[in-house]
Amino acid sequence: MKIIEMPPFAPVLMESTRAIGYNLEAAVADIVDNSIAASADKISISFSPYDAVPYVSILDNGIGMSEIEIDNAMRYGSQSSLKVRAETDLGRFGLGLKTASLSQCRCLTVISKQQDCLEGRRWDLDEVYRNGSWSLIKLETADINKIAQYTTQLKDLDHGTLVIWEKLDRMLEGTTSTDKTMNKQMDYVRNHLSLVFHRYLSGETGIKKVAISINKQPLIPKDPFLIGKSTNFQADEKFIIENHPVHVSCYMLPHISKLTRQEKDELGGSEGLTKNQGFYIYRNKRLLVWGTWFRFHRKDELSKLARIRVDIPNALDHLWTLDIRKSSAIPPDVIKKNLERIVERISEGSKRAWTFRGKREISDKGNHLWNKTHIRDGVVYNLNRDHIFLNTLCESLDSAQKSLLENYLKLVEGNLPLNQLYVDLNNEEQVNVKKEKDAEAEALEFAKIILNNIKDNPLRSQQIQIMIQTDPFCNYKRIVEFLTEELNKNG
């Protein structure tokens, strides 16, 4: 038996790894991972479409790299994915810096300072093609001092690392307006990082707070659980897998009617709350995968408020089949049963929160504005002809006027814009928006009108009791108290 060495041909392999599937947001996030792992608490992302050579740069104030460390960082496959790593390490395959960067550009420059050590390395794919070999360029101090981004960003720091992307062929390919394209793409990056690193940006207990900015504009954390306003659906749970803890927390978002437009945008974005329901998998507090039920449950409108946070340590990467881009993970069999049980419980809770208002309207208790009737082909909604306000109105009308009113009510019932209502609700629109205090004031005015019309009615007490259980009066504590006082006065 004979062993033949078969080293990969550098130009082909490096070009092939550009197609792993990174988008710009994931690529930048991968570089930020390295900065956080290097103990940085300040990360500055910059980009410029206006320079002679458009660029994107990521600067951190981490511990920096020595000569040996920067060489290893620029080497393909610099560490085994099976190697035991520090708990705070956000990497895995030893490929992120290279594959993420070169998926977006053809020239990657890394400059790092550590104490008195200043090192610079560069992968230039055009140079690799010319030489047909792994031609890593080592930058001398004089070369580094000629780099504008170094002199304006890293030079004055005591330690840190600067990553520069140039020859942005993937980002700018086919564009006719470099500035518009870069600005739009970096907006996606801003939104992505604000979500993926929201726990670092907010300085959650137990982790170091990290400030991230893009062209000097700080990122604001986007909390997908709206903690503080959402309901913690059940007690947090902890599972032990291979002697490592997995923490699970379940959240129920507030009903859509209680969310502001900004909150809805932050929770669901342009694709809506429905798409982003389900699991949110975090590895060392960094969001990896979100908006999936892992086939435990089907996405639907009734479970759109349910979100489950799962925290895993990097020691269990091999079980979750984490990919190079850190954008795909699959729960291991040892935890699937526990997750299935949680999914069933929280999805039922979401349905109750979503349908609560509808149940109140069709409940057998009380006197409601609308009645729901099941027919062979579906359901029909009709205005309640026994509503006290409608009865009070009819008492002041003659037979011709009552007939005219009845025809109008039938016209209203038969022409409800149900299809448009469905579209608006699916687009997260708030339908019939009215401030709570305005709606309450309006209901109170209606109550006073009815009381005035029945002041001499011998059945006034019974009618007030009906009002207390009638929409919209029963929805407001102050109006119920007012009506109760009137009932007591009536004796």
Short mmCIF file of all heavy atoms in Angstrom, two decimals, residues 304-354:
data_model
loop_
_atom_site.label_atom_id
_atom_site.label_comp_id
_atom_site.label_asym_id
_atom_site.label_seq_id
_atom_site.Cartn_x
_atom_site.Cartn_y
_atom_site.Cartn_z
N LYS A 304 -48.88 32.01 16.04
CA LYS A 304 -47.93 33.04 15.65
C LYS A 304 -47.35 33.81 16.84
O LYS A 304 -46.33 34.47 16.71
CB LYS A 304 -48.59 34.01 14.67
CG LYS A 304 -49.68 34.86 15.27
CD LYS A 304 -50.51 35.57 14.23
CE LYS A 304 -49.70 36.54 13.41
NZ LYS A 304 -50.53 37.21 12.39
N LEU A 305 -47.97 33.71 18.00
CA LEU A 305 -47.50 34.45 19.17
C LEU A 305 -46.49 33.65 19.99
O LEU A 305 -45.93 34.17 20.95
CB LEU A 305 -48.68 34.83 20.07
CG LEU A 305 -49.78 35.67 19.41
CD1 LEU A 305 -50.90 35.93 20.41
CD2 LEU A 305 -49.22 36.97 18.88
N ALA A 306 -46.26 32.39 19.65
CA ALA A 306 -45.41 31.51 20.45
C ALA A 306 -43.96 31.55 19.98
O ALA A 306 -43.68 31.38 18.80
CB ALA A 306 -45.94 30.08 20.37
N ARG A 307 -43.05 31.74 20.94
CA ARG A 307 -41.62 31.71 20.64
C ARG A 307 -40.88 31.02 21.78
O ARG A 307 -41.14 31.30 22.95
CB ARG A 307 -41.07 33.13 20.43
CG ARG A 307 -41.73 33.81 19.23
CD ARG A 307 -41.09 35.11 18.84
NE ARG A 307 -41.72 35.62 17.61
CZ ARG A 307 -41.27 36.65 16.92
NH1 ARG A 307 -40.19 37.30 17.32
NH2 ARG A 307 -41.88 37.03 15.82
N ILE A 308 -39.97 30.12 21.42
CA ILE A 308 -39.26 29.31 22.40
C ILE A 308 -37.75 29.55 22.27
O ILE A 308 -37.19 29.36 21.19
CB ILE A 308 -39.56 27.81 22.21
CG1 ILE A 308 -41.08 27.56 22.27
CG2 ILE A 308 -38.85 26.97 23.26
CD1 ILE A 308 -41.47 26.14 21.94
N ARG A 309 -37.14 29.96 23.36
CA ARG A 309 -35.69 30.21 23.35
C ARG A 309 -34.96 28.99 23.89
O ARG A 309 -35.27 28.49 24.97
CB ARG A 309 -35.36 31.43 24.22
CG ARG A 309 -33.91 31.85 24.13
CD ARG A 309 -33.66 33.11 24.94
NE ARG A 309 -33.60 32.84 26.36
CZ ARG A 309 -33.54 33.78 27.30
NH1 ARG A 309 -33.57 35.06 26.95
NH2 ARG A 309 -33.47 33.47 28.58
N VAL A 310 -33.99 28.51 23.11
CA VAL A 310 -33.18 27.35 23.50
C VAL A 310 -31.72 27.78 23.54
O VAL A 310 -31.18 28.24 22.52
CB VAL A 310 -33.37 26.17 22.53
CG1 VAL A 310 -32.53 24.98 22.97
CG2 VAL A 310 -34.84 25.78 22.44
N ASP A 311 -31.08 27.63 24.69
CA ASP A 311 -29.67 27.99 24.85
C ASP A 311 -28.83 26.72 24.90
O ASP A 311 -29.03 25.86 25.77
CB ASP A 311 -29.45 28.78 26.15
CG ASP A 311 -29.80 30.25 25.97
OD1 ASP A 311 -29.10 30.93 25.20
OD2 ASP A 311 -30.77 30.72 26.61
N ILE A 312 -27.89 26.62 23.95
CA ILE A 312 -27.01 25.45 23.93
C ILE A 312 -25.55 25.92 24.05
O ILE A 312 -25.19 27.01 23.60
CB ILE A 312 -27.18 24.64 22.63
CG1 ILE A 312 -26.80 25.47 21.41
CG2 ILE A 312 -28.61 24.13 22.50
CD1 ILE A 312 -26.80 24.68 20.10
N PRO A 313 -24.69 25.10 24.65
CA PRO A 313 -23.25 25.44 24.71
C PRO A 313 -22.55 24.95 23.45
O PRO A 313 -23.06 24.08 22.73
CB PRO A 313 -22.77 24.66 25.94
CG PRO A 313 -23.66 23.44 25.96
CD PRO A 313 -25.02 23.91 25.44
N ASN A 314 -21.37 25.50 23.16
CA ASN A 314 -20.66 25.08 21.95
C ASN A 314 -20.17 23.64 22.04
O ASN A 314 -19.83 23.04 21.03
CB ASN A 314 -19.51 26.03 21.62
CG ASN A 314 -18.48 26.11 22.75
OD1 ASN A 314 -18.41 25.26 23.63
ND2 ASN A 314 -17.68 27.18 22.73
N ALA A 315 -20.17 23.08 23.25
CA ALA A 315 -19.72 21.69 23.41
C ALA A 315 -20.67 20.70 22.75
O ALA A 315 -20.31 19.54 22.52
CB ALA A 315 -19.57 21.36 24.90
N LEU A 316 -21.90 21.14 22.43
CA LEU A 316 -22.89 20.25 21.81
C LEU A 316 -23.08 20.54 20.33
O LEU A 316 -24.07 20.09 19.73
CB LEU A 316 -24.23 20.37 22.54
CG LEU A 316 -24.24 19.96 24.02
CD1 LEU A 316 -25.62 20.14 24.62
CD2 LEU A 316 -23.75 18.52 24.19
N ASP A 317 -22.15 21.25 19.72
CA ASP A 317 -22.26 21.57 18.29
C ASP A 317 -22.44 20.32 17.44
O ASP A 317 -23.22 20.30 16.49
CB ASP A 317 -21.00 22.31 17.80
CG ASP A 317 -20.99 23.77 18.25
OD1 ASP A 317 -21.99 24.22 18.82
OD2 ASP A 317 -19.96 24.43 18.04
N HIS A 318 -21.71 19.26 17.78
CA HIS A 318 -21.75 18.04 16.96
C HIS A 318 -23.12 17.39 16.98
O HIS A 318 -23.52 16.75 16.00
CB HIS A 318 -20.70 17.05 17.46
CG HIS A 318 -20.91 16.59 18.87
ND1 HIS A 318 -20.73 17.43 19.95
CD2 HIS A 318 -21.29 15.37 19.38
CE1 HIS A 318 -20.99 16.75 21.07
NE2 HIS A 318 -21.33 15.51 20.75
N LEU A 319 -23.89 17.57 18.06
CA LEU A 319 -25.22 16.98 18.14
C LEU A 319 -26.24 17.78 17.35
O LEU A 319 -27.20 17.24 16.81
CB LEU A 319 -25.67 16.89 19.60
CG LEU A 319 -24.92 15.90 20.50
CD1 LEU A 319 -25.48 15.94 21.91
CD2 LEU A 319 -25.00 14.49 19.93
N TRP A 320 -26.04 19.09 17.27
CA TRP A 320 -27.00 19.96 16.59
C TRP A 320 -26.66 20.13 15.12
O TRP A 320 -27.28 20.91 14.42
CB TRP A 320 -27.05 21.33 17.28
CG TRP A 320 -27.75 21.28 18.60
CD1 TRP A 320 -27.25 20.85 19.79
CD2 TRP A 320 -29.11 21.67 18.86
NE1 TRP A 320 -28.20 20.94 20.78
CE2 TRP A 320 -29.35 21.44 20.23
CE3 TRP A 320 -30.14 22.18 18.07
CZ2 TRP A 320 -30.58 21.72 20.83
CZ3 TRP A 320 -31.36 22.45 18.66
CH2 TRP A 320 -31.59 22.22 20.02
N THR A 321 -25.68 19.40 14.61
CA THR A 321 -25.24 19.45 13.21
C THR A 321 -25.15 20.89 12.71
O THR A 321 -25.75 21.26 11.69
CB THR A 321 -26.18 18.63 12.29
OG1 THR A 321 -27.53 19.12 12.41
CG2 THR A 321 -26.15 17.16 12.66
N LEU A 322 -24.41 21.69 13.45
CA LEU A 322 -24.23 23.10 13.10
C LEU A 322 -23.39 23.21 11.84
O LEU A 322 -22.36 22.56 11.71
CB LEU A 322 -23.53 23.82 14.26
CG LEU A 322 -23.33 25.32 14.13
CD1 LEU A 322 -24.67 26.04 14.16
CD2 LEU A 322 -22.44 25.82 15.27
N ASP A 323 -23.83 24.04 10.88
CA ASP A 323 -23.08 24.17 9.63
C ASP A 323 -22.04 25.29 9.73
O ASP A 323 -21.96 26.01 10.72
CB ASP A 323 -24.02 24.39 8.44
CG ASP A 323 -24.69 25.76 8.46
OD1 ASP A 323 -24.52 26.52 9.45
OD2 ASP A 323 -25.40 26.08 7.49
N ILE A 324 -21.23 25.41 8.68
CA ILE A 324 -20.12 26.37 8.68
C ILE A 324 -20.63 27.80 8.83
O ILE A 324 -20.04 28.62 9.53
CB ILE A 324 -19.29 26.23 7.38
CG1 ILE A 324 -18.51 24.91 7.40
CG2 ILE A 324 -18.32 27.40 7.22
CD1 ILE A 324 -17.75 24.64 6.12
N ARG A 325 -21.76 28.11 8.20
CA ARG A 325 -22.30 29.48 8.23
C ARG A 325 -22.98 29.81 9.55
O ARG A 325 -23.40 30.93 9.76
CB ARG A 325 -23.28 29.68 7.08
CG ARG A 325 -22.65 29.59 5.70
CD ARG A 325 -23.73 29.59 4.63
NE ARG A 325 -24.58 28.41 4.72
CZ ARG A 325 -25.91 28.43 4.66
NH1 ARG A 325 -26.55 29.57 4.56
NH2 ARG A 325 -26.61 27.32 4.73
N LYS A 326 -23.13 28.79 10.42
CA LYS A 326 -23.84 28.95 11.70
C LYS A 326 -25.24 29.47 11.48
O LYS A 326 -25.72 30.36 12.18
CB LYS A 326 -23.04 29.86 12.64
CG LYS A 326 -21.79 29.20 13.19
CD LYS A 326 -20.95 30.13 14.03
CE LYS A 326 -20.14 31.05 13.19
NZ LYS A 326 -19.02 31.68 13.85
N SER A 327 -25.90 28.94 10.46
CA SER A 327 -27.27 29.36 10.16
C SER A 327 -28.21 28.16 10.05
O SER A 327 -29.34 28.31 9.64
CB SER A 327 -27.30 30.15 8.85
OG SER A 327 -26.83 29.37 7.77
N SER A 328 -27.72 26.98 10.42
CA SER A 328 -28.54 25.79 10.36
C SER A 328 -28.19 24.90 11.54
O SER A 328 -27.02 24.69 11.85
CB SER A 328 -28.31 25.02 9.05
OG SER A 328 -29.01 23.80 9.04
N ALA A 329 -29.23 24.42 12.23
CA ALA A 329 -29.04 23.50 13.35
C ALA A 329 -30.26 22.61 13.46
O ALA A 329 -31.38 23.04 13.21
CB ALA A 329 -28.82 24.27 14.65
N ILE A 330 -30.04 21.35 13.83
CA ILE A 330 -31.13 20.38 13.97
C ILE A 330 -31.06 19.80 15.37
O ILE A 330 -30.00 19.34 15.81
CB ILE A 330 -31.00 19.26 12.92
CG1 ILE A 330 -31.03 19.85 11.51
CG2 ILE A 330 -32.11 18.23 13.10
CD1 ILE A 330 -30.73 18.84 10.43
N PRO A 331 -32.17 19.79 16.12
CA PRO A 331 -32.14 19.28 17.49
C PRO A 331 -31.83 17.79 17.51
O PRO A 331 -32.34 17.03 16.67
CB PRO A 331 -33.54 19.57 18.02
CG PRO A 331 -34.39 19.70 16.81
CD PRO A 331 -33.50 20.27 15.74
N PRO A 332 -31.01 17.33 18.44
CA PRO A 332 -30.69 15.90 18.54
C PRO A 332 -31.87 15.11 19.07
O PRO A 332 -32.77 15.64 19.73
CB PRO A 332 -29.52 15.89 19.53
CG PRO A 332 -29.73 17.11 20.38
CD PRO A 332 -30.31 18.14 19.45
N ASP A 333 -31.86 13.80 18.79
CA ASP A 333 -32.96 12.93 19.23
C ASP A 333 -33.14 12.94 20.74
O ASP A 333 -34.26 12.80 21.24
CB ASP A 333 -32.70 11.50 18.76
CG ASP A 333 -32.86 11.36 17.25
OD1 ASP A 333 -33.55 12.21 16.65
OD2 ASP A 333 -32.29 10.41 16.67
N VAL A 334 -32.05 13.13 21.47
CA VAL A 334 -32.14 13.06 22.94
C VAL A 334 -32.96 14.20 23.53
O VAL A 334 -33.38 14.12 24.68
CB VAL A 334 -30.72 13.07 23.57
CG1 VAL A 334 -29.99 11.79 23.24
CG2 VAL A 334 -29.92 14.28 23.11
N ILE A 335 -33.18 15.26 22.76
CA ILE A 335 -33.96 16.37 23.29
C ILE A 335 -35.29 16.56 22.56
O ILE A 335 -36.16 17.31 23.00
CB ILE A 335 -33.14 17.68 23.22
CG1 ILE A 335 -33.74 18.74 24.14
CG2 ILE A 335 -33.07 18.22 21.80
CD1 ILE A 335 -32.92 20.02 24.20
N LYS A 336 -35.50 15.84 21.47
CA LYS A 336 -36.70 16.04 20.65
C LYS A 336 -37.99 15.80 21.43
O LYS A 336 -38.96 16.54 21.29
CB LYS A 336 -36.66 15.13 19.42
CG LYS A 336 -35.83 15.69 18.28
CD LYS A 336 -35.93 14.81 17.04
CE LYS A 336 -35.15 15.43 15.89
NZ LYS A 336 -35.23 14.59 14.66
N LYS A 337 -38.02 14.76 22.27
CA LYS A 337 -39.25 14.46 23.00
C LYS A 337 -39.62 15.59 23.94
O LYS A 337 -40.79 15.96 24.07
CB LYS A 337 -39.08 13.15 23.77
CG LYS A 337 -39.05 11.92 22.89
CD LYS A 337 -39.01 10.65 23.72
CE LYS A 337 -39.02 9.41 22.82
NZ LYS A 337 -38.96 8.15 23.60
N ASN A 338 -38.62 16.15 24.61
CA ASN A 338 -38.90 17.27 25.51
C ASN A 338 -39.39 18.49 24.74
O ASN A 338 -40.30 19.18 25.17
CB ASN A 338 -37.63 17.63 26.31
CG ASN A 338 -37.28 16.56 27.33
OD1 ASN A 338 -38.12 16.17 28.14
ND2 ASN A 338 -36.06 16.09 27.29
N LEU A 339 -38.78 18.74 23.59
CA LEU A 339 -39.18 19.90 22.79
C LEU A 339 -40.59 19.71 22.23
O LEU A 339 -41.37 20.67 22.16
CB LEU A 339 -38.19 20.14 21.67
CG LEU A 339 -36.78 20.56 22.09
CD1 LEU A 339 -35.91 20.82 20.86
CD2 LEU A 339 -36.79 21.78 22.99
N GLU A 340 -40.93 18.50 21.82
CA GLU A 340 -42.27 18.23 21.29
C GLU A 340 -43.33 18.51 22.35
O GLU A 340 -44.40 19.08 22.06
CB GLU A 340 -42.37 16.78 20.82
CG GLU A 340 -41.65 16.53 19.49
CD GLU A 340 -41.69 15.06 19.10
OE1 GLU A 340 -41.75 14.20 20.00
OE2 GLU A 340 -41.64 14.79 17.89
N ARG A 341 -43.07 18.11 23.58
CA ARG A 341 -44.01 18.36 24.67
C ARG A 341 -44.20 19.85 24.91
O ARG A 341 -45.33 20.33 25.09
CB ARG A 341 -43.49 17.67 25.95
CG ARG A 341 -44.27 18.02 27.20
CD ARG A 341 -43.71 17.26 28.40
NE ARG A 341 -42.28 17.42 28.53
CZ ARG A 341 -41.72 18.48 29.10
NH1 ARG A 341 -42.46 19.47 29.55
NH2 ARG A 341 -40.40 18.56 29.20
N ILE A 342 -43.10 20.60 24.86
CA ILE A 342 -43.18 22.05 25.08
C ILE A 342 -43.91 22.72 23.93
O ILE A 342 -44.72 23.63 24.14
CB ILE A 342 -41.75 22.62 25.23
CG1 ILE A 342 -41.12 22.10 26.53
CG2 ILE A 342 -41.77 24.13 25.22
CD1 ILE A 342 -39.65 22.41 26.65
N VAL A 343 -43.64 22.26 22.71
CA VAL A 343 -44.30 22.85 21.53
C VAL A 343 -45.81 22.70 21.64
O VAL A 343 -46.57 23.64 21.38
CB VAL A 343 -43.79 22.18 20.24
CG1 VAL A 343 -44.70 22.53 19.07
CG2 VAL A 343 -42.37 22.63 19.94
N GLU A 344 -46.27 21.51 22.01
CA GLU A 344 -47.71 21.27 22.11
C GLU A 344 -48.34 22.20 23.14
O GLU A 344 -49.40 22.78 22.91
CB GLU A 344 -47.96 19.82 22.50
CG GLU A 344 -49.44 19.46 22.58
CD GLU A 344 -49.66 17.99 22.91
OE1 GLU A 344 -48.66 17.24 22.92
OE2 GLU A 344 -50.81 17.62 23.15
N ARG A 345 -47.68 22.40 24.25
CA ARG A 345 -48.23 23.22 25.32
C ARG A 345 -48.27 24.70 24.94
O ARG A 345 -49.26 25.38 25.13
CB ARG A 345 -47.39 23.02 26.59
CG ARG A 345 -48.03 23.58 27.85
CD ARG A 345 -47.12 23.35 29.04
NE ARG A 345 -46.76 21.94 29.17
CZ ARG A 345 -45.79 21.52 29.97
NH1 ARG A 345 -45.06 22.38 30.67
NH2 ARG A 345 -45.51 20.24 30.05
N ILE A 346 -47.18 25.18 24.37
CA ILE A 346 -47.13 26.61 24.08
C ILE A 346 -48.00 26.98 22.88
O ILE A 346 -48.57 28.06 22.81
CB ILE A 346 -45.68 27.10 23.86
CG1 ILE A 346 -45.61 28.62 23.93
CG2 ILE A 346 -45.12 26.60 22.55
CD1 ILE A 346 -44.22 29.18 23.93
N SER A 347 -48.14 26.08 21.91
CA SER A 347 -48.98 26.40 20.76
C SER A 347 -50.44 26.50 21.17
O SER A 347 -51.19 27.32 20.65
CB SER A 347 -48.81 25.35 19.65
OG SER A 347 -49.20 24.07 20.10
N GLU A 348 -50.86 25.68 22.14
CA GLU A 348 -52.22 25.79 22.65
C GLU A 348 -52.43 27.11 23.37
O GLU A 348 -53.48 27.74 23.25
CB GLU A 348 -52.52 24.62 23.60
CG GLU A 348 -52.75 23.29 22.90
CD GLU A 348 -53.91 23.37 21.92
OE1 GLU A 348 -54.95 23.93 22.27
OE2 GLU A 348 -53.75 22.87 20.79
N GLY A 349 -51.41 27.54 24.12
CA GLY A 349 -51.51 28.83 24.80
C GLY A 349 -51.60 29.98 23.83
O GLY A 349 -52.33 30.95 24.04
N SER A 350 -50.87 29.89 22.72
CA SER A 350 -50.92 30.93 21.70
C SER A 350 -52.30 31.02 21.07
O SER A 350 -52.81 32.09 20.80
CB SER A 350 -49.86 30.67 20.63
OG SER A 350 -49.88 31.65 19.63
N LYS A 351 -52.92 29.86 20.84
CA LYS A 351 -54.26 29.85 20.26
C LYS A 351 -55.25 30.56 21.18
O LYS A 351 -56.11 31.32 20.74
CB LYS A 351 -54.72 28.42 20.00
CG LYS A 351 -53.97 27.72 18.88
CD LYS A 351 -54.42 26.29 18.74
CE LYS A 351 -53.61 25.58 17.66
NZ LYS A 351 -54.02 24.15 17.52
N ARG A 352 -55.12 30.31 22.50
CA ARG A 352 -56.04 30.95 23.43
C ARG A 352 -55.85 32.46 23.43
O ARG A 352 -56.83 33.22 23.46
CB ARG A 352 -55.81 30.39 24.84
CG ARG A 352 -56.33 28.98 25.02
CD ARG A 352 -56.40 28.63 26.50
NE ARG A 352 -55.09 28.59 27.12
CZ ARG A 352 -54.33 27.52 27.14
NH1 ARG A 352 -54.75 26.39 26.59
NH2 ARG A 352 -53.15 27.55 27.73
N ALA A 353 -54.59 32.92 23.38
CA ALA A 353 -54.34 34.36 23.37
C ALA A 353 -54.87 35.01 22.10
O ALA A 353 -55.41 36.11 22.11
CB ALA A 353 -52.84 34.63 23.50
N TRP A 354 -54.73 34.28 20.97
CA TRP A 354 -55.13 34.86 19.69
C TRP A 354 -56.64 34.90 19.54
O TRP A 354 -57.20 35.80 18.94
CB TRP A 354 -54.51 34.03 18.56
CG TRP A 354 -54.82 34.53 17.18
CD1 TRP A 354 -55.58 33.90 16.24
CD2 TRP A 354 -54.38 35.75 16.59
NE1 TRP A 354 -55.64 34.66 15.10
CE2 TRP A 354 -54.91 35.79 15.28
CE3 TRP A 354 -53.58 36.80 17.03
CZ2 TRP A 354 -54.67 36.85 14.43
CZ3 TRP A 354 -53.35 37.85 16.16
CH2 TRP A 354 -53.89 37.87 14.88
#
